[in-house]
Amino acid sequence: MNEIQIKQQLNAKQQEQVAYLFYEAFPLKVKYLWFYAKTKKQAVQLLCQSIQFEQGIYALRNEEVVGFLGYNIGKKAFMPAKIGVFRNVYSPLVATWRYIFYAFYLKFHLYNENVLHIDPIAVSEEARGHGIGKLLLSKLEQVALGKHMTTINLEVVDTNPSAQKLYERFGYRVHKELKSGPFTVKAGFKKVIFMQKSIEITNS
């Protein structure tokens, strides 16, 4: 495997790769929970226009994005809800109700200014098992400390136990659990596990 580079800035082509990887990693959530997009083309178009790429960390191999981590700080989201973006993809009526649903979802994923919240993290299928998730999480801690933040939150669903194990090995602990049941079954899960990690600011 070629060397993985961790970056925080991307060119236009790499930004589009992030959108495709996002969709491939979370197709059910994109369709039934976030955007209600009927096609991959719609979803990628929405993602390309919505993602705030400066709030992400990216793993590249041969200049191609093979993993990424987005984060929210306070009301600044990696993928904010913007009505204009929805109107660019859907008819006015459809755009309005899909925007309202996504804005409602996002409301529960924005925290106070002192907490950094991971939303989301993804690694391409062919690049899994090579420690990319750990590289992204390690870089995120550097970003958090650079912003003088000592608390990182994330969520993992009950159908992704391997991800939960990774976070636990990396020092994250279960904070609480929420049964979402029929509201999220189409999106591929029935329970959300909230995890948290505290990091220390060291004097160098």
Side-chain angles (χ1 to χ4, degrees):
M1 182 177 179
N2 295 318
E3 184 179 355
I4 297 296
Q5 293 180 304
I6 302 298
K7 294 186 176 182
Q8 291 180 263
Q9 294 183 330
L10 303 176
N11 59 38
K13 181 179 179 181
Q14 291 164 341
Q15 289 179 356
E16 188 175 16
Q17 291 170 357
V18 171
Y20 274 100
L21 177 55
F22 196 124
Y23 176 82
E24 290 168 358
F26 308 106
L28 294 179
K29 288 184 178 179
V30 170
K31 184 175 182 179
Y32 294 112
L33 186 61
W34 294 329
F35 295 145
Y36 296 87
K38 291 185 177 180
T39 68
K40 182 177 181 178
K41 182 179 179 180
Q42 282 184 336
V44 170
Q45 187 178 355
L46 278 161
L47 289 164
C48 281
Q49 296 180 42
S50 297
I51 293 173
Q52 304 299 295
F53 291 96
E54 70 276 9
Q55 285 187 218
I57 300 168
Y58 309 95
L60 280 72
R61 182 178 60 191
N62 296 329
E63 296 302 312
E64 179 180 354
V65 178
V66 293
F68 73 91
L69 182 156
Y71 59 87
N72 304 338
I73 299 177
K75 294 183 178 180
K76 292 179 63 178
F78 176 68
M79 195 175 63
K82 295 183 178 180
I83 185 63
V85 173
F86 284 80
R87 287 174 176 166
N88 288 340
V89 178
Y90 302 116
S91 65
L93 180 61
V94 174
T96 299
W97 76 260
R98 293 187 182 186
Y99 163 77
I100 290 171
F101 272 97
Y102 180 65
F104 180 77
Y105 161 84
L106 188 63
K107 181 180 179 180
F108 295 95
H109 294 76
L110 299 178
Y111 295 81
N112 64 56
E113 297 290 340
N114 298 317
V115 175
L116 191 152
H117 183 78
I118 298 174
D119 187 30
I121 180 171
V123 177
S124 64
E125 188 173 351
E126 67 273 14
R128 292 172 189 167
H130 296 278
I132 291 176
K134 293 180 181 179
L135 291 174
L136 292 169
L137 290 169
S138 294
K139 181 62 178 179
L140 181 69
E141 291 191 10
Q142 296 177 25
V143 171
L145 291 173
K147 296 178 180 295
H148 303 286
M149 304 177 75
T150 59
T151 302
I152 302 175
N153 284 352
L154 60 83
E155 297 165 16
V156 61
V157 298
D158 56 342
T159 51
N160 195 0
S162 59
Q164 182 176 347
K165 290 179 180 178
L166 167 65
Y167 302 140
E168 288 173 345
R169 290 196 299 269
F170 215 75
Y172 287 82
R173 297 292 176 260
V174 175
H175 177 54
K176 63 180 179 179
E177 297 183 359
L178 175 65
K179 291 183 178 180
S180 50
F183 298 103
T184 59
V185 66
K186 283 189 175 182
F189 63 96
K190 295 182 179 179
K191 184 171 67 174
V192 180
I193 298 99
F194 297 82
M195 305 185 74
Q196 187 174 89
K197 180 177 181 178
S198 296
I199 54 178
E200 293 183 2
I201 297 177
T202 57
N203 296 319
S204 57

